[in-house]
Amino acid sequence: MLNVTIDGQKLQVKEGTTILEACELVGVEIPTLCHLKHLAPEGSCRMCVVEVEGARDLKVSCATVCGEGMNITTMNEKIHAWRRFIVEMLLADHNIDCFSCSDTGKCKLYQYALDYGIREPRFKVQPRDWQIDDTNRFFDYDPHKCILCRRCVRVCNDRQVNHTLNLSGRGIDTVVGMPFNELFIDSNCVSCGNCVSVCPTGALATKASKNYRSWELAKTRTTCSYCAVGCQMDLLVKKGKVVGVEPADGHSNKGLLCVKGKFAYKFIDHPDRLTTPLIRKDGELQPASWDEALDYVVDNLQKIKTESGPDAIAGFSSSRTTNEDNYTFMKMMRGAIGTNSVDNCARV
Amino acid sequence: MIRTLEDLREFKIQQEERSRQEKADKQAKILVGMGTCGIAAGAQEVYEAICDELRQQGIEDVVVAQTGCIGFCAQEPLAEVILPDRQVLYGHIDAEKARKIVTDHIAGGQVITEWAVNGGSLLPKEQQAEAEIVNVGDVPFFKTQVRIALKNCGVINPESLGEYIARDGYQSLAKVLTEMTPADVIEEVKKSGLRGRGGGGFSTGMKWEFAHKQPPGQKYIVCNADEGDPGAFMDRSILEGDPHSVVEGMAIGAYAIGANKGYVYCRAEYPIAVKRLNLAISQAKEQGLLGENILGTDFSFDLEVRLGAGAFVCGEETALLASIEGERGEPRLRPPYPAVSGLWGKPTIINNVETFANIAPIIRRGSDWFGSIGSENSKGTKVFALAGEINNIGLAEIPMGTTLREVIFDIGGGIPEGKQFKGAQTGGPSGGCIPAEFLDTPIDYDNLAKLGTIMGSGGLIIMAEDTCMVDLARFFLDFTQEESCGKCPPCRVGTTVMLDMLNRIVEGKGEVEDLEKLKELGENIKAASLCGLGQTAPNPVLSTMRYFWEEYEEHVRDKKCRAGVCTALFQYYIIPEKCKRCGICAKVCPVKCISGDRQTPYVIDQELCIKCGACMEACPFDSIIKQ
Ligand SMILES: Cc1cc2nc3c(=O)[nH]c(=O)nc-3n(C[C@H](O)[C@H](O)[C@H](O)COP(=O)(O)O)c2cc1C
Ligand code: SF4
Ligand code: SF4
Ligand code: SF4
Ligand code: FES
């Protein structure tokens, strides 16, 4: 364990803890743009600097590990001026379109401009003429709003390992895109949407997000219902309707989702969705109450079991239910019905 | 195959015997400087003309050989006629002159003094024919140079391993492998005081020690031959003129740190360097000086050339490593330093070409000898590429501590056309300028830092009175802005904002407030950038502001460019009273914007004028001024 001091607070941290992680432990918030949990730190945005006593320059906290006896200051004039400069530079090369941007309210750049006292940028770089890519079914990409934090590129290459996104050009012409300037629709993108989830600005935004503002949303933590991995997610709910999904940092998914978890939530309000049990009567499926339906199932199962024995019955459960439900189902088949013929469709 | 120390000694003796024999058999040797610079100036034709003329005249006892850059680029193509009693270095020769040299000098025994650099060629016309031939080493350009890194350049045939060995080549490698432990080698390099010649000036011995101290296992040694600094070409000259010196230096470094594999990351725009380097590597492999169990010891070392990706930033060490790994050439955050975690995460030492070229001499002649050259904290020599407004454009290797005045006026021969010296830029786009008041500062790492500039890789660009310092700063920033990798916002956006501002200033659209903003931006970019490119990119602007603030003020306040470089800030103007109405100006004007006739004085239509200056040059009566 190492002893460090953060803004006068003493604490002990494990070897290898970054300054940023140590700050989190004592509840000191540090502004970050390129840093993202589960991605290797790259220290490129230069936003998260702090002062370490005795060091010549300010240090990027996301990529500097704590040393024994380090005395860290997380805010002073120098730090403030440095961070302000970073935000000022990013704003100088940004399509400032906050009124209609779908990220308004949750955009990190917007937040930091506020925090560091920038009302009006003093500088402006000539905008480049980049193509807005709206060919993906679920999200749009506007390079003019990109701050090149490169989180999307790293998540696509290092975590989703799909190698769709890369960087091209250099200097002020550096841009996130796909090899040979492909569009999303022509690329190998699997629409997992993880790049969109990690984008701190409105550069990569879901199509649906045009219709809500972050402050209108309630978030509900849940488990994805598509397969048995158990990804944790937050349903974004506006006025009682699910309008989007954000990945949560769950044990099994660590902030990632697949295309189904991220985007296939529309079934919830789909008119074709079954909302009551149906019982076939006179050759037609007809709505029934749960009591009615369960009685029907129990009666028939009992009948088959008495007439033909338990092995005449087999059970097959859906992978779109939770592990717990599947377990209960297996117990029911073995214990209550008495057969080992039970299976589940999860085979991915 | 050279398998043992004894073999190497034997090889050297044979080689010396061979050249003795050659000297006895042949009456003369003609060396043609065939680096890229020489070839570009026409050395290939000269070489062929000499061979052809010798053949035609039936002269057989003359050896013609190529060599690397002789250094005196302003005089290219160069050919040196070496006779037992004296050497004559001919400059500015072409095929025709070459044939005459064969006829007069070789066949007729008559030196053509007016073409000889060590004769009359550098003197005023009327004295040329009368001049005496002096030793080449006594020519002012060469006189105060001390050649360590360039010792073989312009002397040996770079494509001959034998000639390298005859001049003590691979003796140092043999010495370290048979007499020294890796720790001894590091100690010797540390004691010599050698500092990296690639720009940073970090102690080479100390750097090696970091890698040496890493636990044994896979380690790498890399030579940085990316040389992207505009105006610098010393690394190219060394690779073209003496590639084995780099191979030997790297092998010694590899032994010291415990590496068995090395890469030379060489600028792809240097095809001759790449070719000669590859040749040197294959010769060394053939002779067993690279490969398994070198000189019968258990040291094995393999070397490979990798072509640069064509970006300035790829010269930055971490970007260079990323590029070798096949990634986008972008710097990575340090620490960890490459000496701890470099190529593919393994301990890696990266040194510059010139740094490696100094290693074998240090081992052979000892750290005390090396330490006796140079100044207190900067030992040895530095190769400078003299460029810009200077008579003797070329490469000069000078002991550290030489003053700028000596370099510019003694070695460099001063400023052309009697113009006034204004400043010198060191460190290229990462460095700064030194104004005339500091001409007597001894050049070394510390003094340059005090003046707000850096040694850099050794580019030395001389500016005269007609250089606009604002435009100069703009030029360098234009380069760095374009070469930024785009990874971090201070450099990516900051340099662009600064460049936009400077562009407006030279176009006469600047405002007084811009100057303070430029300074503020510059300081912030330096502080906040991730790598050395951004951390130094504002230097040319900040240093010209420091020494030439009034010029900036004139540009923004008075909209004037005193050097007459920024075309938006001056006009050509015909003084009506002085105009003799000859109409010559109107004839030469390429856009026909001058009108007038025998009765009316000529006037320039300022709207149409493209400011080429042709009229002013043509006017026989000096009636046109720039204002
Ligand atoms: C933008 C940039 C470009 C560089 N280009 C070169 C180069 O072309 N050649 C070189 O030797 N070093 C270059 N360097 C310095 C290298 O990063 C490194 O410090 C050097 O190769 C180490 O070798 P040395 O210790 O022998 O000087 C560059 C550094 C930066 C920041
Ligand atoms: S949606 Fe997924 S696969 Fe497609 S670019 Fe984004 S991260 Fe890569
Ligand atoms: S698109 Fe978003 S996540 Fe990707 S680099 Fe730009 S700002 Fe960052
Ligand atoms: S300072 Fe410039 S070159 Fe270096 S990492 Fe940042 S953007 Fe790239
Ligand atoms: S968050 Fe630390 S440098 Fe970007």
Side-chain angles (χ1 to χ4, degrees):
Chain A
M1 289 303 251
L2 301 165
N3 296 294
V4 295
T5 311
I6 296 174
D7 295 336
Q9 283 192 72
K10 290 190 192 318
L11 73 152
Q12 286 204 319
V13 295
K14 279 201 227 109
E15 292 264 349
T17 308
T18 64
I19 295 180
L20 183 68
E21 287 161 348
C23 288
E24 253 162 49
L25 291 176
V26 287
V28 173
E29 209 180 305
I30 306 281
T32 59
L33 288 168
C34 68
H35 170 82
L36 195 67
K37 204 173 159 190
H38 308 305
L39 281 179
E42 66 165 24
S44 66
C45 79
R46 322 297 293 156
M47 189 65 198
C48 64
V49 286
V50 295
E51 191 165 83
V52 175
E53 195 178 63
R56 196 156 42 105
D57 311 307
L58 300 186
K59 297 278 170 215
V60 284
S61 60
C62 67
T64 309
V65 290
C66 292
E68 174 56 34
M70 251 190 197
N71 188 4
I72 297 152
T73 308
T74 64
M75 180 51 82
N76 58 29
E77 230 172 86
K78 191 171 166 190
I79 296 168
H80 192 276
W82 172 309
R83 294 183 188 160
R84 189 177 193 283
F85 169 64
I86 299 296
V87 178
E88 194 170 26
M89 288 301 100
L90 291 173
L91 284 171
D93 189 28
H94 188 76
N95 173 16
I96 301 174
D97 170 37
C98 308
F99 185 77
S100 46
C101 179
S102 57
D103 238 46
T104 295
K106 76 181 232 283
C107 171
K108 282 199 153 198
L109 187 60
Y110 185 100
Q111 181 65 46
Y112 295 151
L114 193 69
D115 292 352
Y116 290 88
I118 301 172
R119 287 294 178 86
E120 186 118 19
R122 288 185 296 164
F123 310 106
K124 187 82 207 137
V125 170
Q126 186 67 31
R128 264 80 66 232
D129 191 16
W130 279 314
Q131 183 172 13
I132 293 175
D133 185 350
D134 60 1
T135 62
N136 185 285
R137 281 190 55 178
F138 307 108
F139 58 84
D140 296 336
Y141 167 51
D142 179 357
H144 307 92
K145 289 183 183 166
C146 169
I147 58 168
L148 286 170
C149 69
R150 308 137 65 94
R151 288 178 176 195
C152 55
V153 178
R154 286 143 70 212
V155 88
C156 183
N157 287 278
D158 301 347
R159 298 213 53 218
Q160 182 66 22
V161 203
N162 210 57
H163 302 290
T164 304
L165 296 178
N166 67 9
L167 291 154
S168 60
R170 64 182 178 211
I172 198 71
D173 293 323
T174 309
V175 65
V176 168
M178 280 147 282
F180 313 110
N181 295 325
E182 263 179 337
L183 296 171
F184 274 107
I185 191 80
D186 303 316
S187 74
N188 71 337
C189 171
V190 294
S191 298
C192 67
N194 287 310
C195 53
V196 182
S197 301
V198 300
C199 181
T201 70
L204 278 164
T206 61
K207 287 193 156 61
S209 66
K210 287 194 186 71
N211 302 317
Y212 58 80
R213 285 286 179 269
S214 63
W215 56 81
E216 298 177 288
L217 301 177
K219 282 189 184 181
T220 304
R221 177 68 47 96
T222 184
T223 305
C224 178
S225 63
Y226 273 109
C227 79
V229 168
C231 296
Q232 294 300 289
M233 52 162 59
D234 286 330
L235 298 179
L236 307 181
V237 184
K238 173 177 171 176
K239 296 190 180 136
K241 286 217 152 87
V242 176
V243 291
V245 177
E246 288 293 343
D249 189 15
H251 277 297
S252 58
N253 66 320
K254 299 201 168 41
L256 297 183
L257 287 177
C258 79
V259 58
K260 292 185 285 178
K262 174 78 184 172
F263 294 115
Y265 54 84
K266 292 208 175 124
F267 70 90
I268 297 171
D269 292 309
H270 201 280
D272 288 352
R273 183 174 172 197
L274 301 183
T275 48
T276 61
L278 300 174
I279 299 176
R280 197 177 297 278
K281 288 183 192 151
D282 312 323
E284 287 245 336
L285 286 169
Q286 290 177 17
S289 73
W290 279 106
D291 277 344
E292 220 180 316
L294 287 172
D295 284 347
Y296 182 82
V297 171
V298 172
D299 289 349
N300 279 293
L301 283 176
Q302 262 165 353
K303 188 164 155 240
I304 297 167
K305 191 175 164 183
T306 350
E307 283 172 7
S308 319
D311 280 335
I313 303 172
F316 197 70
S317 73
S318 166
S319 66
R320 294 195 53 187
T321 50
T322 62
N323 262 346
E324 292 74 10
D325 286 345
N326 279 308
Y327 179 81
T328 317
F329 183 72
M330 180 273 290
K331 275 284 177 216
M332 180 185 83
M333 291 304 288
R334 292 199 169 138
I337 297 189
T339 175
N340 287 329
S341 303
V342 56
D343 202 359
N344 174 290
C345 70
R347 287 237 175 355
V348 258
Chain B
M1 267 298 238
I2 301 172
R3 284 192 196 285
T4 62
L5 207 51
E6 205 36 58
D7 290 351
L8 184 65
R9 230 168 265 144
E10 192 63 26
F11 192 99
K12 185 172 183 227
I13 292 167
Q14 277 172 18
Q15 193 61 37
E16 283 163 349
E17 184 51 39
R18 201 180 311 160
S19 55
R20 238 193 311 280
Q21 198 58 42
E22 201 177 82
K23 272 206 188 113
D25 292 350
K26 310 276 180 178
Q27 60 133 334
K29 180 167 183 174
I30 305 178
L31 274 180
V32 184
M34 289 177 71
T36 295
C37 40
I39 292 174
Q44 189 68 41
E45 292 80 41
V46 167
Y47 184 86
E48 281 159 17
I50 293 172
C51 297
D52 184 58
E53 193 62 30
L54 288 170
R55 213 176 307 117
Q56 283 192 22
Q57 302 200 14
I59 302 170
E60 281 176 357
D61 54 356
V62 172
V63 197
V64 187
Q66 62 167 338
T67 186
C69 170
I70 297 169
F72 207 164
C73 307
Q75 298 292 321
E76 297 274 13
L78 286 157
E80 192 170 8
V81 175
I82 304 169
L83 288 157
D85 55 336
R86 70 174 159 207
Q87 304 178 0
V88 179
L89 182 62
Y90 288 108
H92 281 317
I93 48 180
D94 52 23
E96 201 181 316
K97 284 185 177 174
R99 290 180 193 276
K100 191 159 157 57
I101 290 167
V102 172
T103 312
D104 290 11
H105 191 167
I106 305 288
Q110 201 59 48
V111 177
I112 309 172
T113 318
E114 54 268 47
W115 296 347
V117 171
N118 56 335
S121 85
L122 301 177
L123 300 175
K125 261 249 163 337
E126 58 285 2
Q127 300 170 20
Q128 283 184 351
E130 308 305 310
E132 289 221 5
I133 296 290
V134 298
N135 279 333
V136 174
D138 287 334
V139 173
F141 179 77
F142 295 107
K143 196 164 179 173
T144 46
Q145 290 198 42
V146 174
R147 293 190 153 214
I148 299 173
L150 297 181
K151 100 180 165 62
N152 290 330
C153 288
V155 179
I156 63 167
N157 178 351
E159 299 189 359
S160 160
L161 173 64
E163 291 194 25
Y164 180 70
I165 289 182
R167 285 181 54 98
D168 301 319
Y170 291 104
Q171 297 294 326
S172 302
L173 179 62
K175 182 169 164 185
V176 303
L177 295 187
T178 53
E179 296 169 21
M180 297 169 84
T181 65
D184 294 339
V185 178
I186 287 169
E187 196 47 39
E188 191 66 7
V189 176
K190 255 167 81 175
K191 254 175 50 198
S192 75
L194 176 66
R195 293 169 68 170
R197 301 297 193 234
F202 192 80
S203 156
T204 305
M206 256 154 76
K207 192 146 98 175
W208 288 12
E209 195 168 38
F210 291 140
H212 172 72
K213 284 194 173 143
Q214 293 302 309
Q218 182 66 58
K219 294 180 189 176
Y220 296 102
I221 192 151
V222 174
C223 174
N224 189 339
D226 200 40
E227 194 159 59
D229 186 346
F233 52 97
M234 54 289 292
D235 294 348
R236 190 197 72 211
S237 286
I238 293 171
L239 292 173
E240 288 179 356
D242 194 14
H244 281 288
S245 69
V246 178
V247 174
E248 186 178 1
M250 288 185 76
I252 294 170
Y255 174 73
I257 66 163
N260 63 2
K261 172 92 201 179
Y263 293 94
V264 183
Y265 187 83
C266 187
R267 225 187 131 130
E269 296 85 346
Y270 284 177
I272 301 175
V274 172
K275 176 182 146 232
R276 292 193 182 150
L277 195 54
N278 272 322
L279 185 68
I281 292 171
S282 63
Q283 287 167 341
K285 276 188 187 159
E286 231 164 70
Q287 290 298 337
L289 295 164
L290 284 177
E292 301 288 314
N293 301 100
I294 297 170
L295 293 173
T297 64
D298 48 16
F299 173 63
S300 302
F301 180 57
D302 185 32
L303 192 54
E304 214 180 290
V305 178
R306 286 293 169 99
L307 291 190
F312 175 59
V313 74
C314 286
E316 195 280 338
E317 56 185 21
T318 56
L320 185 151
L321 297 179
S323 181
I324 293 182
E325 289 172 7
E327 303 278 335
R328 181 177 154 94
E330 271 181 357
R332 297 174 188 155
L333 202 65
R334 298 177 308 181
Y337 286 89
V340 176
S341 171
L343 260 187
W344 295 291
K346 305 294 178 198
T348 303
I349 282 301
I350 303 162
N351 279 120
N352 167 261
V353 172
E354 191 184 332
T355 312
F356 280 124
N358 273 295
I359 297 297
I362 288 174
I363 298 294
R364 201 177 63 252
R365 304 183 65 175
S367 56
D368 290 341
W369 160 78
F370 191 82
S372 70
I373 303 163
S375 64
E376 179 66 28
N377 290 318
S378 308
K379 298 300 183 194
T381 58
K382 177 77 195 85
V383 184
F384 280 96
L386 311 183
E389 298 271 1
I390 189 160
N391 280 314
N392 299 341
I393 288 171
L395 276 191
E397 183 168 356
I398 52 157
M400 298 274 190
T402 309
T403 67
L404 198 55
R405 187 185 297 283
E406 289 171 86
V407 177
I408 297 172
F409 291 94
D410 298 345
I411 297 174
I415 319 289
E417 299 160 31
K419 282 189 248 177
Q420 198 70 34
F421 170 79
K422 187 169 190 176
Q425 177 85 9
T426 67
S430 315
C433 68
I434 306 172
E437 64 211 87
F438 297 112
L439 265 176
D440 290 309
T441 312
I443 303 177
D444 65 19
Y445 289 102
D446 305 336
N447 283 335
L448 290 182
K450 272 187 226 138
L451 294 179
T453 179
I454 56 168
M455 179 83 72
S457 56
L460 188 64
I461 300 171
I462 312 302
M463 283 91 63
E465 54 194 305
D466 53 2
T467 308
C468 168
M469 300 312 267
V470 181
D471 186 60
L472 177 89
R474 194 200 59 81
F475 167 83
F476 282 121
L477 197 71
D478 191 38
F479 176 83
T480 29
Q481 186 267 347
E482 176 105 19
E483 293 294 335
S484 158
C485 82
K487 187 166 183 171
C488 69
C491 170
R492 179 181 72 239
V493 187
T495 56
T496 308
V497 172
M498 279 182 85
L499 181 65
D500 286 350
M501 223 176 243
L502 281 165
N503 277 332
R504 280 203 305 276
I505 292 175
V506 299
E507 282 162 17
K509 295 179 196 142
E511 287 157 22
V512 177
E513 303 79 68
D514 285 349
L515 301 189
E516 281 309 323
K517 282 190 199 156
L518 265 181
K519 229 172 158 178
E520 178 199 324
L521 281 164
E523 297 294 350
N524 284 336
I525 295 167
K526 270 175 75 115
S529 290
L530 189 155
C531 88
L533 192 151
Q535 286 159 7
T536 58
N539 283 349
V541 178
L542 294 177
S543 106
T544 47
M545 285 190 129
R546 174 166 163 187
Y547 297 119
F548 299 93
W549 180 257
E550 13 18 286
E551 280 193 40
Y552 279 87
E553 276 189 339
E554 283 165 14
H555 276 73
V556 293
R557 200 186 46 213
D558 314 331
K559 312 285 183 227
K560 283 263 167 286
C561 170
R562 63 166 82 172
V565 171
C566 302
T567 48
L569 301 185
F570 66 81
Q571 297 183 335
Y572 287 98
Y573 174 71
I574 303 174
I575 305 167
E577 301 79 50
K578 286 183 85 179
C579 174
K580 300 270 191 285
R581 297 161 215 172
C582 69
I584 289 181
C585 56
K587 270 200 205 91
V588 300
C589 174
V591 293
K592 299 284 169 248
C593 72
I594 308 181
S595 55
D597 54 40
R598 279 252 148 250
Q599 276 73 44
T600 19
Y602 282 76
V603 280
I604 300 172
D605 182 343
Q606 298 297 345
E607 290 283 298
L608 298 178
C609 171
I610 55 163
K611 299 191 179 148
C612 67
C615 54
M616 183 160 137
E617 210 144 282
C619 176
F621 310 106
D622 291 337
S623 316
I624 307 182
I625 55 165
K626 211 170 169 184
Q627 63 171 23

